Amino acid sequence: MKRDIMLLACALALAVPAWAQGKRLIPSSEQATAGYLSSQLLLKPCADIGALGFADDENAQRSAAAARKALPAGTCANAALVEKLFKARFLLNATPAMINDPWRLDPQIVRQEQAIGRCQDTQCLARELDRTIAVLSPVYLGARQQWPRGKGLCTGEPAETPANKVLALLAPDSSKAITDACAEDEVLATTCRGPHGKWLFVSCAMSGNQVNAQQWLFRASKTPPEPLFATEEGPLAVLETTCNSMPDLMTSARVSVGEHFLSYYRYDGKTYRQVYSYSSEFVGTDANGNDLMIALGGVDSQVVCR
């Protein structure tokens, strides 16, 4: 991998991100040394570009100069302020990756970022960085993230269903979409019952080192089954939160070693819509060996929950 694309990537090659196992700590800047150059400059805009291995890269030099220029004069000359800037920016970008309803936190993130961005001197910057760290530290440290296993759709384990029977039940356009994506002998289907009726899950079988597969969700209590959700970014997880009486969903797609793309969906009364998405990028490990992940993305659309 070209050094101007990645500084370092050393996370496990999993279909979903590795959730923290030990006690989480707020890292120091010295512990966040991995990730894209753009991510390094986001977290550490005062970093020595030469020490990062880009001393002869003109594009990297320009990016570093722009990152420093956006700061109040004198910021990079104050070591304590530089470290405080890292901690605040880390929390702003890492905390959304620690929770399963990042849209709830997004307004707070935006307010803190705007307050920091308005600062014209180091006194204001220090004050707003302190406020950001005070607000987000408890959220980041208190989150206990795990792969969601909400029961809002199924009250029991899904049962396997023959693919040929499923395809025969579906409307022609739905059946065609599935067979266009995966051969009939590669179609996997399960059904379950829950508080909102009978559900049908369909996906393409994965092979080799494949970690993402197309998936569909149908309300099977209707004839033909009603399509509510489709994605190429599996696996699919059901969240504990709800919108319009239906559980929220999320997917996690492996992009590369050390990077995943997470998307969140909420029910708008007719179908599921993507409301929030971000790239989860590995940037190092804390003192307890927990992966440090930052979330780069944000709100995609608004769904009114009644």
Side-chain angles (χ1 to χ4, degrees), residues 66-109:
R68 286 172 174 256
K69 187 178 180 180
L71 301 172
T75 298
C76 294
N78 185 328
L81 186 58
V82 167
E83 188 66 19
K84 189 177 294 185
L85 177 61
F86 163 76
K87 289 184 177 180
R89 287 196 173 187
F90 174 79
L91 288 169
L92 286 166
N93 291 279
T95 307
M98 293 295 105
I99 59 178
N100 287 329
D101 54 351
W103 58 84
R104 173 180 58 84
L105 189 62
D106 192 70
Q108 179 69 56
I109 297 288

Side-chain angles (χ1 to χ4, degrees), residues 34 41 43 64 79 84 100 106 117 120 127 196 199 216 221 243:
L41 292 177
L43 298 175
K84 189 177 294 185
N100 287 329
D106 192 70
Q120 299 297 311
R127 181 178 64 251
H196 304 283
W199 296 96
W216 297 263
S221 51
C243 184

Side-chain angles (χ1 to χ4, degrees), residues 99-103 147-154 196 199-201 215-218 227-231 233 235-243 246-252 262-268 271-277:
I99 59 178
N100 287 329
D101 54 351
W103 58 84
W147 185 244
R149 300 185 184 279
K151 301 295 184 182
L153 289 178
C154 303
H196 304 283
W199 296 96
L200 168 64
F201 300 87
Q215 298 183 62
W216 297 263
L217 171 65
F218 298 86
L228 293 185
F229 176 81
T231 182
E233 300 171 350
L236 173 69
V238 180
L239 305 181
E240 296 291 346
T241 55
T242 64
C243 184
M246 292 286 286
D248 300 323
L249 307 176
M250 69 169 284
T251 58
S252 174
L262 284 82
S263 301
Y264 294 80
Y265 308 84
R266 310 199 84 178
Y267 185 66
D268 67 4
T271 189
Y272 275 95
R273 288 170 49 193
Q274 183 171 302
V275 296
Y276 198 97
S277 61

Side-chain angles (χ1 to χ4, degrees), residues 120-144:
Q120 299 297 311
D121 56 59
T122 55
Q123 290 79 13
C124 171
L125 180 61
R127 181 178 64 251
E128 294 303 332
L129 294 177
D130 283 337
R131 287 178 178 173
T132 297
I133 293 169
V135 169
L136 294 181
S137 290
V139 183
Y140 178 78
L141 296 174
R144 292 293 177 265

